[in-house]
Amino acid sequence: MKLSEDDSKGYHELGIMGKGLVLNQEFKSWRYNRHFFTQAILSPKFVHETTYWTSKLFEELESYWDKLYLKGDNKKVLDFSLWSNQFTNDMIITLLTGERSYTMAGYFNELSDSEKAERPSALIDETVKFVHAIRKHILGFLLFQIISPFLRHYFPYFKNKSDDMKENMKYLNRRFDSIIKKRRQEIENTPLDKPLSNDMLTSVIIANTPRDVNYDKNINDKAMRPMTDIEVRGIIFDGIIAGTDTTANTISYIIYYLAHNPDVKKKMLDEIDRTFQDDKIRPITESDLHNLKYCEAIVKEVSRIFSVVNSFPRCLERPEEIAGYQWPANTHIRINIDAIHHNSEYWVEPEKFNPDRWLNEDFEPKKNSFITFGGGLRVCPGRKLAITELVCLTTLLYRKYEIDLVNKEASLRTVSSVITACTELLVEIRQRN
Ligand code: HEM
């Protein structure tokens, strides 16, 4: 991603340009941030955290579904796209910050007239407010690129909107800063021989300090210094922004494709039942993942055929020939993921939903042809977490529940901007026999 000076003015004004990863064009600072992000997210204990929290939060989700939809004989309808959003919000915030988030509980309280979630309501309100602010940021930040500074500063309609977004950003920064400060304090108060929690925030705070197992006090390299609070905030913020809607929408698309491909669904159920031997409640573990290769193939095939991110930007550093044309340096291009994923030069029968293609021993997607997570230096650093979370979630959902679309004839309801988001997915749910 490289934005021109004009395009990035608004992001500077909002205070998000040059921080974290996504909007960071300064190579040294991006590389430093990326190193911390990758080191934390790719560590083996993080894979453990991902399976653990997917199971734990799924149990919580089931407790709400049980009360709202699963009692009695009547089939009840739910909008899966809304629940998946609450789930992935709680998941990413808990995994990245180590602070429990309760947006599923908040949504349950909204839907349930009589019973309320067994969580302190002040805690629910606080996390719901936090998540609403994150959502407002995701939906509104493009205003700072698309609308000129003149309109944003002097035209009341845009000025109000942009002032509101700036206030929202201030609130988010305060909230992140207080979480970071609290965690630094907790780390300081924990004796060196006592373990710390495994969330990303803790890992990036302790990286390159004596609490880090890889710490070497003899290395006196500026590039290996610990992160400041503002740097920590930048990468945690980006992880939350990039890791919520992407996974939430992909799981909705998985439900949709399974409903339309009963033979695939049957094969998946066989794999799940073989792995869990009729145990419908034990938590999923990392070792289960080795036995869920068909589920993983489904996640990849859905991501190929209906990628949630539809394109991503690049800027040419030097003149290049692309598609037979010469392009000067600094040309901005968008790489069209959908076009590449549906191109018969790269994929056999590209329009066919065929998870088996991923299981063929000789199969390897052609170079740069599976780009749902982008590619090159900037490739999505959350891809392993995303695939693990999606495989676990698909397995947990279908291990115990029968999920049908309310209207199988209806096409998917989506809206496209930076990502293709599912706006509604009405399903009927009941326990599997
Ligand atoms: C299905 C889920 C996901 C999809 C489809 C996805 C897709 C992408 C894509 C296409 C990019 C741009 C890559 C490029 O320019 O080459 C990206 C970047 C990024 N993603 Fe993901 N992502 C997903 C989940 C996640 C998760 C769970 C996280 C974090 C926990 C995450 C964090 C990031 C970050 C921080 C970047 C910016 C990287 C950089 O600029 O260095 N993503 N993602």
Side-chain angles (χ1 to χ4, degrees), residues 21 30 34 242-243 246 250 308 314 372-375 378 380-382 385:
L21 298 167
W30 168 81
R34 175 99 185 187
T246 43
T250 306
V308 61
R314 283 293 185 268
T372 198
F373 294 108
R378 289 261 178 177
C380 172
L385 157 60

Side-chain angles (χ1 to χ4, degrees), residues 21-22 30 34 37 41 92 96 238-239 242-243 246-247 250 308-309 312 314 337 371-375 378-382 385-386 390:
L21 298 167
V22 181
W30 168 81
R34 175 99 185 187
F37 194 96
I41 210 167
I92 204 78
L96 297 200
D238 275 4
T246 43
T247 38
T250 306
V308 61
V309 182
F312 56 92
R314 283 293 185 268
I337 299 181
I371 51 168
T372 198
F373 294 108
R378 289 261 178 177
V379 67
C380 172
L385 157 60
L390 289 164

Side-chain angles (χ1 to χ4, degrees), residues 326-430:
Q326 291 295 333
W327 302 93
N330 275 325
T331 304
H332 289 250
I333 52 175
R334 282 205 83 81
I335 299 185
N336 185 334
I337 299 181
D338 289 337
I340 292 176
H341 285 185
H342 288 262
N343 189 324
S344 57
E345 275 186 37
Y346 307 122
W347 301 94
V348 177
E349 295 188 278
E351 300 310 324
K352 187 171 170 197
F353 178 68
N354 177 19
D356 280 290
R357 73 173 81 234
W358 298 91
L359 296 177
N360 189 335
E361 258 179 36
D362 312 323
F363 176 74
E364 184 61 45
K366 288 193 181 140
K367 193 165 181 243
N368 295 331
S369 67
F370 182 57
I371 51 168
T372 198
F373 294 108
L377 277 183
R378 289 261 178 177
V379 67
C380 172
R383 60 199 184 285
K384 188 167 179 209
L385 157 60
I387 290 185
T388 307
E389 181 181 343
L390 289 164
V391 170
C392 290
L393 194 50
T394 307
T395 305
L396 292 168
L397 279 163
Y398 286 92
R399 177 174 71 169
K400 192 156 160 198
Y401 300 101
E402 189 62 59
I403 305 168
D404 294 315
L405 296 182
V406 169
N407 181 359
K408 246 174 137 178
E409 312 314 315
S411 47
L412 249 174
R413 297 185 67 168
T414 59
V415 57
S416 283
S417 61
V418 182
I419 62 165
T420 302
C422 183
T423 50
E424 186 180 77
L425 188 70
L426 297 181
V427 303
E428 283 169 352
I429 181 160
R430 65 194 138 83

